[in-house]
Amino acid sequence: MRKFFQEIKADLKFKTAGPGQKLSEPSRVPKEKPKAEAAPKPRQAPTDEAQKAAAAALARMELKAKTKVPASQEAIKNQVRKELMAEAAASKEGLSMEEKDLTSPATEGACAHSVSGVYFICPLTGVVVRKAEKAKHLREAIQSYFSVDPVAASIMEIHTFNKDREKVRVGVETMAKYLDNICLHPEEEKYRKIKLQNKVFQERICCLEGTQRFLQAVGFETKTLPVPDQGKKSPYSPEEYYVLKEEMLSKLDDLKNYKEQLLSSGPVRAQLDRQLCVFKPSPAAANFQLPSDFYSLTAEELKREQQLRTEAVEKASMLRTRAMREKEEQRELHKYNYTVLRVRFPDGYILQGTFYAREAVSVLYSFVREALREDWLPFELLAPGGLKLTDEDLPFNECGLVPSALLTLVWDAAVMADIEAVAQEQPASPLKAELLSKVQTLS
């Protein structure tokens, strides 16, 4: 130990010599040989979990190191950001996304959406209602029809408001059998009575909405009748029945008509409003903004879907097979029940309509023909990319025309050449004048 301190002291004296003094080198002491170091322990290989974590970290570092995000990812991000901002703005105003759409103006001039929503025409009142109000309005219309024709109204109720079609079929056939037995055996009293507690009546008739109102409308009334009750002190026990009124026996033809009407009727369906629009030529024809009405998802599912879309940014950078991409595309298309289609004419004018996603291409051809001055003119429709829509039986969702698409109309060249050779003056547009009088500007 003493030798160690002497070496340090000599070393300090060597370094701190004053000016003019000669630095003396410290005495050199032979160093002791270092002890042999212990052999290092063998290094353990990383576990599987550690390797996976390292690979994930490396992948994230490589992803951050990229200077430019692919266009598809950027588009997805922009769409997600836009939708989230719209939803936040709607929440701030105290409105849900659906209520916000209700306050949107119709498609006229500059608007937020290509259409303000999905609308239906009530077949009973002719009133155009929003999709969310369709069921309520239809029920009110049928209830109001009871004052006009109670039999027809009750038949509408049975076929429209009972969703289980098999139960409806069985119930309708059972009631038709009741009426058929009365018409075939009017003298038999047993056919004119229906016991309310009867098992068949309970399982087939009572479980359906509108059936009892139908029986009352065709002439049945409720009565409490005594019936033999075996095994009890009282020889008779009252039971409730539907009993046909006596005056209906002279109106058997009416009962037959009611039976046929019951069997031949179907659900009352509101008709989809096409919301036909005509736009002036515009470079924005291929730009679409759709409201939430076009989704088959509920509002809650839409919110969850928006959260899941952020994951699509990472999925877009992954390598996927063609089969995987097509499967995902089909799954995306099934989220839509409706589609907005635009048809651009050779003169630039644009015809727009709303359709069911599963309607056939032939419906679009008919839609275009009804808008023409001369509906006999032959034409073809080209899908985006120039593909001819020759198979008119295919639905829109199988042609890639969902949830929106811009198509191009092409006239038959030979026919148009003949027309131009004969006609002295061609109209400004092949569309009907009443449609052109309401032309709008697309922005």
Side-chain angles (χ1 to χ4, degrees):
M1 181 68 69
R2 183 178 298 174
K3 185 183 292 185
F4 174 74
F5 282 111
Q6 288 176 352
E7 291 179 359
I8 294 178
K9 186 176 180 181
D11 187 47
L12 289 174
K13 184 177 181 181
F14 170 76
K15 293 180 178 178
T16 57
Q21 295 181 351
K22 187 177 181 180
L23 297 176
S24 60
E25 294 183 3
S27 59
R28 300 183 178 275
V29 180
K31 295 182 180 180
E32 296 180 0
K33 294 183 179 180
K35 296 180 180 180
E37 296 181 357
K41 295 181 179 180
R43 187 175 180 181
Q44 295 181 352
T47 62
D48 293 342
E49 290 77 6
Q51 292 180 6
K52 291 180 180 179
L58 182 60
R60 287 194 297 270
M61 292 175 63
E62 291 177 352
L63 185 61
K64 290 181 180 179
K66 293 182 179 180
T67 58
K68 186 177 181 181
V69 181
S72 58
Q73 294 187 37
E74 193 65 32
I76 295 172
K77 283 185 177 180
N78 291 337
Q79 182 66 21
V80 173
R81 190 181 301 113
K82 185 188 299 181
E83 292 177 359
L84 292 178
M85 290 175 63
E87 185 176 356
S91 300
K92 186 176 181 181
E93 296 172 6
L95 299 173
S96 66
M97 291 298 290
E98 186 172 1
E99 290 170 335
K100 187 174 179 67
D101 289 338
L102 283 171
T103 62
S104 303
T107 307
E108 186 172 353
C111 64
H113 293 125
S114 303
V115 288
S116 60
V118 178
Y119 294 86
F120 291 86
I121 304 172
C122 176
L124 300 178
T125 63
V127 175
V128 178
V129 294
R130 183 93 183 234
K131 183 181 73 170
E133 300 294 325
K134 178 183 65 171
K136 178 183 176 182
H137 180 86
L138 201 58
R139 181 176 288 275
E140 292 175 350
I142 291 177
Q143 296 300 325
S144 299
Y145 202 69
F146 270 94
S147 61
V148 179
D149 188 341
V151 175
S154 61
I155 292 175
M156 293 179 195
E157 210 173 25
I158 293 169
H159 285 282
T160 304
F161 300 137
N162 297 290
K163 303 305 179 184
D164 191 326
R165 305 313 305 165
E166 179 60 22
K167 285 186 178 181
V168 171
R169 184 189 65 81
V170 172
V172 165
E173 290 179 354
T174 302
M175 290 188 293
K177 187 65 175 177
Y178 289 157
L179 299 180
D180 202 34
N181 286 336
I182 294 173
C183 293
L184 293 175
H185 311 283
E187 71 285 351
E188 294 286 342
E189 184 181 357
K190 65 178 182 179
Y191 291 122
R192 303 199 299 270
K193 295 190 300 182
I194 305 172
K195 187 177 179 180
L196 270 63
Q197 297 303 316
N198 179 274
K199 183 179 179 181
V200 172
F201 184 82
Q202 288 292 322
E203 292 180 352
R204 300 184 182 182
I205 309 301
C206 280
C207 63
L208 298 176
E209 182 177 353
T211 51
Q212 299 193 51
R213 298 180 75 171
F214 169 77
L215 292 174
Q216 294 169 0
V218 299
F220 283 90
E221 59 183 350
T222 55
K223 284 187 177 182
T224 301
L225 302 176
V227 295
D229 192 359
Q230 300 291 336
K232 293 189 178 180
K233 293 181 180 180
S234 176
Y236 293 97
S237 176
E239 293 278 1
E240 281 194 329
Y241 285 83
Y242 270 128
V243 180
L244 188 69
K245 297 175 183 178
E246 289 291 334
E247 61 263 26
M248 293 306 299
L249 293 177
S250 60
K251 301 178 181 178
L252 295 180
D253 289 340
D254 290 344
L255 291 180
K256 291 179 182 178
N257 291 333
Y258 297 153
K259 182 196 74 171
E260 295 299 329
Q261 188 177 349
L262 178 65
L263 290 172
S264 60
S265 296
V268 178
R269 302 295 189 197
Q271 181 183 359
L272 179 65
D273 184 14
R274 298 296 184 197
Q275 301 184 69
L276 187 151
C277 298
V278 177
F279 298 104
K280 295 178 181 178
S282 171
N287 297 334
F288 293 89
Q289 293 291 335
L290 301 178
S292 59
D293 283 2
F294 277 71
Y295 286 90
S296 59
L297 305 178
T298 63
E300 292 76 13
E301 290 172 329
L302 276 175
K303 291 180 181 179
R304 187 166 60 252
E305 184 72 18
Q306 289 173 349
Q307 295 175 353
L308 294 176
R309 285 183 186 180
T310 56
E311 299 177 4
V313 177
E314 297 180 3
K315 294 177 71 175
S317 61
M318 296 170 56
L319 293 176
R320 291 173 293 165
T321 64
R322 180 177 179 181
M324 292 172 62
R325 291 195 301 270
E326 290 178 351
K327 186 176 181 180
E328 288 187 8
E329 289 171 0
Q330 287 298 321
R331 189 161 56 245
E332 285 293 321
L333 293 179
H334 287 309
K335 294 177 183 176
Y336 296 92
N337 282 332
Y338 312 95
T339 182
V340 172
L341 299 178
R342 291 173 179 166
V343 178
R344 180 159 51 194
F345 284 75
D347 58 3
Y349 277 86
I350 302 161
L351 180 68
Q352 175 179 295
T354 302
F355 304 85
Y356 286 108
R358 294 169 182 81
E359 284 189 276
V361 172
S362 58
V363 175
L364 180 59
Y365 272 90
S366 299
F367 176 75
V368 174
R369 287 192 185 96
E370 291 174 0
L372 297 177
R373 294 175 184 266
E374 305 291 344
D375 58 3
W376 57 269
L377 288 173
F379 64 88
E380 289 181 330
L381 295 177
L382 306 183
L387 179 65
K388 291 183 180 181
L389 298 178
T390 55
D391 189 350
E392 297 188 19
D393 294 330
L394 280 178
F396 296 130
N397 59 351
E398 292 185 15
C399 300
L401 303 180
V402 173
S404 59
L406 173 64
L407 300 98
T408 303
L409 183 142
V410 179
W411 301 114
D412 184 283
V415 174
M416 294 307 295
D418 293 340
I419 294 176
E420 291 175 359
V422 175
Q424 297 180 355
E425 183 178 352
Q426 294 293 326
S429 174
L431 293 169
K432 291 180 178 177
E434 56 266 31
L435 296 180
L436 293 174
S437 64
K438 300 177 182 179
V439 68
Q440 302 175 29
T441 300
L442 187 63
S443 59

